[in-house]
Structures are given as structure tokens and as C-alpha cells.
Amino acid sequence: MKRADLTEKILDIKRENGWTWKHITDEIGGMAPVLVVGALLGQMKLVKPLAAKAAVLFGLSQAEEAMLNEVPYRGTVMPPTDPLIYRFYEMVMVNGPAWKALIEEEFGDGIMSAIDFDFDFERVANPKGDRVKITMSGKFLPYKYYGNEQGIPDYGFKES
């Protein structure tokens, strides 16, 4: 079985039982819902205790449970073709240079981690149509200036 086959099996079971992602993530628990859903969709891994809970919930074999615990090959074709995912790509293409400039002015020469990262979203009622509010928080990782000579900083933190 390939990982994509397991994802399809999980989605079939979800549909057949009429389960919501909320129900599934409440049953499995252990980490943020976006990480649990991401693992069930093949983009993240579940640690062994959570893979065991998912296996019980979905009635998976030992091999399928082990597959949920494997580090996956992550990512999708670029640019993404799904309209909702493409909008995130579009936000980065259009706003990315400004986000980069503002973050670097505040923190220095570095990046925002997508590994040490938190994500949350909520529905915000609006008479013109409900809105999606997204909160992302990633650790700032300054570039290391290796081979630096005396008097040159080790890292790209904002200079005073």
C-alpha cells in the first residue's frame, strides 16, 4: 500500500461514518487539529501513541498504523491548483515582499520557521459574509554568519 492509498482509505471511512474533522481530532487528540488532519492527509506524521489511537478509530492494520508514524514526503505541485490553497500562494506572491521587509526591519536578517510554528483559525461573523481569521506564529530564525571575522556578529539579529 502507498501512503496515498491510506489517505483515500481514511477519507472513505470518514465519509461512510459521517464524521467531521472535529470529531476525528477530538478522538485522536494529542496535538493541534491541523497537525492531526495533516497527518491523516499524508503531510505530517503521527507519533506512535496518536497513530495507535487513529488505527483504533479507523480500524487500521498494524502496517497502516506504522505508515501513519513514518515521516512523509511533504508538499504539492506548484503552483497549487486547488482554489483555496492557491489563495494562500497568491497572498504570499502579492504580499510576501512587504511581509519580508517588515519582518526583517523588526527582527533582522532571517526567516520565520515553518517547523517551529503555530497555526489557528476562526470564523468571524460579518453581515457581508463570514470571514476566516488566521493566526500564524513562527519562531524567528536569524541567518548564521559563519566564517565571520572578529567584530562581525554571529547571527543576523537586528542591529541596534
Side-chain angles (χ1 to χ4, degrees), residues 56-127:
V56 169
L57 181 65
F58 287 98
L60 304 178
S61 71
Q62 285 184 329
E64 292 165 332
E65 177 181 335
M67 196 177 284
L68 289 175
N69 180 246
E70 293 174 358
V71 176
Y73 187 87
R74 296 176 171 103
T76 63
V77 177
M78 292 300 281
T81 57
D82 179 85
L84 185 103
I85 295 171
Y86 182 81
R87 290 299 168 253
F88 283 97
Y89 181 74
E90 182 179 43
M91 282 186 270
V92 172
M93 286 189 311
V94 172
N95 297 295
W99 294 343
K100 175 180 168 42
L102 292 166
I103 289 169
E104 288 173 347
E105 182 175 83
E106 180 67 26
F107 292 91
D109 184 17
I111 62 171
M112 183 180 88
S113 176
I115 305 298
D116 189 344
F117 183 81
D118 296 316
F119 172 93
D120 199 12
F121 77 97
E122 63 183 281
R123 178 188 297 255
V124 177
N126 187 301

Side-chain angles (χ1 to χ4, degrees), residues 9 14 25 34 54-55 89 99 101 105 110 136 148:
K9 178 177 180 175
K14 176 186 180 291
T25 58
V34 73
Y89 181 74
W99 294 343
E105 182 175 83
M136 296 185 290
N148 54 321

